[in-house]
Amino acid sequence: MKWKATLLWATLLAVAGGCSAPKTKSHLRHSTPEIEAKVEKMVKSMTLEEKVGQMTQVTLDILLEGEKPETSFEPPRLDKNAMREAFEKYYIGSVLNTTNNRARSPQWWNLMVKDIQDYAIKNNRLGIPIIYGVDMIHGASYVAGATLFPQQIGMAATWNPELIRQGAEVTAYESRASSIGWTFSPVLDLGVDPRWPRQWETFGEDPYLASSMGKALIRGLQGDDNQVSNPNRMAACLKHYLGYSHTLSGKDRSPAWIPENKLREYHLPAFKAGVEAGALTVMVNSGEINGVPVHINKYLLNDVLKEELGFEGFIVSDWSDIEYLHTRHKVAATQKEAVKLAINAGLDMSMVPYNFRFADYLIELVNEGEVPMSRIDDAVTRILRVKYLLGLFEKPYTQLEDYPDFGSTAFENLAIRTAQESVTLLKNDGLLPLSNNLRLLVAGPTANSMRPLNGGWSYSWQGELADEFAGDYNTVYEALRARAKNPEMVELFEGVSFKFDGKYDEEIVGNLSEFSRRAAKANAIVLCLGENSYTEKPGDLEDLYLSDNQQQLAKLAAASGKPVIFVMVQGRPRVISKIEPLAKAVLNAYLPGNYGGEAIAQIIYGEINPSGKLPYTYPRFPNSLEPYYIKHAEQLEIAGSPTGTQYNPQYHFGYGLSYSNFEYSELSTDKTTYEPEDVIKLSVRVTNTSALAGKEVVQVFSADHYASLTPSVKRLRAFEKVSLMPGESKLVQLEIPVKALAFAAEDRMWTLEKGSFSLMCGKLSTDIQLNTDKKFSNKIQ
């Protein structure tokens, strides 16, 4: 198979060593001649040891006093001997992470980063600062008091890129207030598999939606002009390049088997968009594709990312992933060979993170001729370029006193609005909104904790510290109670709760007889279901159905005869098909952050009109997990299916209800026949036919009638969120480049074939004709 052969050849090239020459300065898009001259001069003056040091990244804990490298004493103190080894012997270029896996105050971050930078610069003859990276995932999530937003899956559910850009500006501002200039965000992996424990870190399953949201987030972090030396901006990191989310098993860091045309058509576009937006760094997929770990895949790292897409920044490994080439993937017989394979494939910086052996091995490999100096110079050039672009040589750290808006009301309001626009109403049998004078029973394991509202990467890796750091915010129960006309009418009885000192999926079943007794007294039951926080490998699961305990609680609630509202607080769409008919209303809240409780309560009581739309397909069964862009053969008629076909999700991609009603009319295009270089100008009228103001997401899908490779049933091509007052009508105008209708062929080329296409918006459809065939590539011109 062509793809298998390509990957084998890529591996052989990686083993042999060497990457193609870096782009000449005249081709650089995001740097300046002045910066390039400084970088070139510095690289020429550096020793091999100094260069390799710049390629080495260690975690903060190994620089602190402690009994072992993984943990530090409290309060944390820099270890003089460790600092001397790191910066005077190894010339380390980067540090990451917090200490002891917990958030710290911005003042603490200011002092820690300042002390490290001062020591590194003083003890480096060239005065090179470090670049400090932290997983600031949905806000400055390792900084106490910072503004936390919904996780990326909730951001995607807003379908509002401008809102996401503004939120990323806040993340950059509050991170830089804490002296952190580099975040490992955004995640541009596609959320194509609901089983995957990091699905909530993505922008959903669609390449166009992920590309649009990713570009918006990068603009917010780095600025529209990518002037990241601005002390209110920070460097973004696209991760996890490439195909990380599409594993065969659905489990984290496990093998993927993806044909190259599928990899290019679905998984690559968001990363291409991120590179074009100017992202300065890229993190590599920890897994493997078709038997080749991506960390040693020269074809993907160098030939596609650096050469074809024109990426100018540096590539960093994920945590320990060079070591894992030897211990986990078994493609390197020794740790030294693992370093050789990864660096020769195009990796620029190793997230080691607990020792300095990477540097020792790499120096030996260069001296032995196994890694060419040209590869080292390319990596160091890229790293120094980013440091200069960030302004670290002029301003290696910042101070909180220069950031008066940290944790401000304005930032808080933006986070609340993002949460409000993310919550998605999936079902409403005339129940919502509720009057605020009803007697409510609020139950379920996500009803009264901040931990499931925030998810992982919130104050700690697994999010288990959220109730400690975010205890002043309202849970769902607290927010409902605060908004009730009589707070005493809102009662909490969880029935099922999470075992917070256990694994994320461990639960405690309470007195269910007492739950039934209280349910009988309520006017309505708000059942808060879903998942505890998790991320990465600890979040792997064996069964996508909602837990048996929670399903039993739902059955007991329905048995009371009182109307039941499901509020799903979850990182991935847990299957609810066995109990969904029992609910009168279903809200999907995703992981809405510290203001999620407020947003949920406001929507339940009708203070806010829901406008979220699903960024993924919500499955009906654990064995039917297809994304919406299925092929025609996947929707064949099948006897007994509720929809009459084998494709039968619980809720479709892009679906979401409102308290308003919207009507579509007058769908048209500027012409009916097009050439490959044209842009389709489409318009459609949207009218709010209800008596309530609301927001609607106008979505345009395309369908290729016939193609030489089987076409998908439909693909998202454009969208826009509009606000409409009661009775208001707007003519929404959208543009779609004809090239966006292309598919990735087996020859690696984007391919347009003449013929008919349908453009669909709401229930409307119109056909257009493409007159000419065309092939084109991703190559930067």
Side-chain angles (χ1 to χ4, degrees), residues 380-397:
V380 177
T381 294
R382 291 169 177 274
I383 293 166
L384 293 178
R385 176 182 297 140
V386 171
K387 291 185 176 184
Y388 271 110
L389 287 169
L390 276 170
L392 293 176
F393 284 87
E394 295 77 25
K395 194 177 181 69
Y397 45 81

Side-chain angles (χ1 to χ4, degrees), residues 215-469:
K215 286 189 295 185
L217 194 142
I218 293 163
R219 287 200 307 272
L221 294 174
Q222 297 193 175
D224 290 332
D225 53 4
N226 287 302
Q227 292 297 315
V228 289
S229 59
N230 181 330
N232 294 340
R233 304 297 185 187
M234 70 189 309
C237 183
L238 313 181
K239 64 182 191 183
H240 307 80
Y241 180 85
L242 182 68
Y244 177 45
S245 60
H246 207 167
T247 66
L248 186 64
S249 68
K251 293 180 170 59
D252 186 42
R253 287 171 163 81
S254 58
W257 299 89
I258 310 173
E260 184 171 5
N261 66 307
K262 187 170 186 177
L263 196 70
R264 284 179 169 272
E265 182 165 342
Y266 295 96
H267 295 275
L268 189 60
F271 286 92
K272 179 177 184 288
V275 170
E276 290 175 344
L280 293 179
T281 66
V282 169
M283 185 183 292
V284 183
N285 171 3
S286 297
E288 59 187 64
I289 301 176
N290 300 351
V292 180
V294 180
H295 277 76
I296 65 169
N297 192 320
K298 178 182 176 292
Y299 172 68
L300 291 180
L301 297 183
N302 186 77
D303 301 357
V304 176
L305 180 58
K306 291 182 176 180
E307 295 303 312
E308 185 178 322
L309 300 188
F311 175 61
E312 299 166 4
F314 68 82
I315 303 174
V316 62
S317 80
D318 207 339
W319 189 271
S320 298
D321 275 339
I322 291 183
E323 295 180 354
Y324 290 149
L325 294 171
H326 169 62
T327 62
R328 178 183 293 170
H329 296 289
K330 306 295 184 180
V331 293
T334 63
Q335 291 288 2
K336 184 175 177 179
E337 184 185 11
V339 172
K340 170 186 169 181
L341 291 173
I343 300 304
N344 280 337
L347 193 76
D348 301 311
M349 179 182 286
S350 172
M351 188 183 289
V352 180
Y354 286 120
N355 57 67
F356 304 106
R357 290 193 294 271
F358 165 82
D360 292 330
Y361 293 142
L362 188 51
I363 291 168
E364 291 175 8
L365 287 164
V366 175
N367 287 332
E368 294 165 359
E370 295 295 316
V371 174
M373 184 63 79
S374 60
R375 175 75 271 275
I376 302 299
D377 287 347
D378 174 51
V380 177
T381 294
R382 291 169 177 274
I383 293 166
L384 293 178
R385 176 182 297 140
V386 171
K387 291 185 176 184
Y388 271 110
L389 287 169
L390 276 170
L392 293 176
F393 284 87
E394 295 77 25
K395 194 177 181 69
Y397 45 81
T398 51
Q399 295 295 324
L400 178 63
E401 62 193 39
D402 296 325
Y403 295 83
D405 292 329
F406 180 93
S408 66
T409 300
F411 291 175
E412 175 182 305
N413 289 338
L414 185 62
I416 292 173
R417 183 185 165 195
T418 307
Q420 290 167 345
E421 292 201 24
S422 71
V423 176
T424 306
L425 180 60
L426 297 177
K427 181 179 182 180
N428 188 19
D429 289 349
L431 179 62
L432 297 181
L434 295 180
S435 168
N436 70 347
N437 62 0
L438 296 178
R439 181 176 294 279
L440 297 183
L441 176 62
V442 184
T446 63
N448 198 35
S449 171
M450 296 304 300
R451 179 174 172 180
L453 289 171
N454 277 290
W457 301 115
S458 303
Y459 308 111
S460 66
W461 178 40
Q462 294 296 313
E464 75 279 5
L465 302 180
D467 284 313
E468 173 187 341
F469 282 91

Side-chain angles (χ1 to χ4, degrees), residues 18 116 123 173 206 229 270 280 297 329 448 491 495 504 602 699:
I116 294 173
N123 292 282
Y173 181 95
D206 182 75
S229 59
L280 293 179
N297 192 320
H329 296 289
N448 198 35
E491 181 182 18
Y504 85 95
Q602 289 171 330
Q699 303 163 342

Side-chain angles (χ1 to χ4, degrees), residues 10-187:
T11 306
L12 292 173
L13 285 174
V15 173
C19 295
S20 54
K23 278 188 295 186
T24 61
K25 298 185 189 66
S26 62
H27 291 154
L28 293 171
R29 294 169 293 140
H30 302 298
S31 186
T32 67
E34 294 77 15
I35 285 177
E36 293 306 304
K38 291 178 181 178
V39 170
E40 183 177 17
K41 181 179 179 181
M42 184 169 288
V43 171
K44 287 181 178 179
S45 69
M46 295 172 74
T47 66
L48 172 60
E49 290 75 13
E50 289 169 334
K51 292 175 182 178
V52 170
Q54 288 301 303
M55 299 170 67
T56 306
Q57 183 184 61
V58 296
T59 191
L60 176 60
D61 277 318
I62 75 164
L63 303 179
L64 302 175
E65 295 177 356
E67 293 182 354
K68 54 184 180 179
E70 293 80 11
T71 59
S72 305
F73 297 136
E74 291 286 350
R77 297 181 301 274
L78 289 170
D79 184 310
K80 293 180 181 179
N81 292 329
M83 291 289 286
R84 188 177 300 114
E85 183 178 27
F87 297 108
E88 296 183 47
K89 179 180 179 180
Y90 285 103
Y91 312 103
I92 296 303
S94 182
V95 179
L96 82 153
N97 221 345
T98 183
T99 178
N100 292 335
N101 187 33
R102 64 185 294 113
R104 304 284 169 169
S105 71
Q107 295 90 342
W108 184 93
W109 279 113
N110 286 167
L111 289 171
M112 182 59 68
V113 175
K114 179 181 184 301
D115 287 349
I116 294 173
Q117 288 284 28
D118 284 345
Y119 191 98
I121 293 169
K122 178 182 178 181
N123 292 282
N124 184 307
R125 68 184 180 87
L126 298 174
I128 303 175
I130 65 161
I131 180 170
Y132 205 116
V134 178
D135 289 279
M136 304 300 200
I137 299 300
H138 60 125
S141 49
Y142 276 93
V143 182
T147 308
L148 296 197
F149 292 81
Q151 295 280 3
Q152 266 191 219
I153 198 67
M155 295 181 194
T158 70
W159 291 66
N160 189 339
E162 175 58 21
L163 198 57
I164 304 318
R165 184 194 65 79
Q166 294 175 26
E169 286 185 338
V170 173
T171 298
Y173 181 95
E174 295 188 339
S175 296
R176 289 302 287 264
S178 309
S179 299
I180 304 300
W182 181 25
T183 177
F184 304 123
S185 174
V187 171

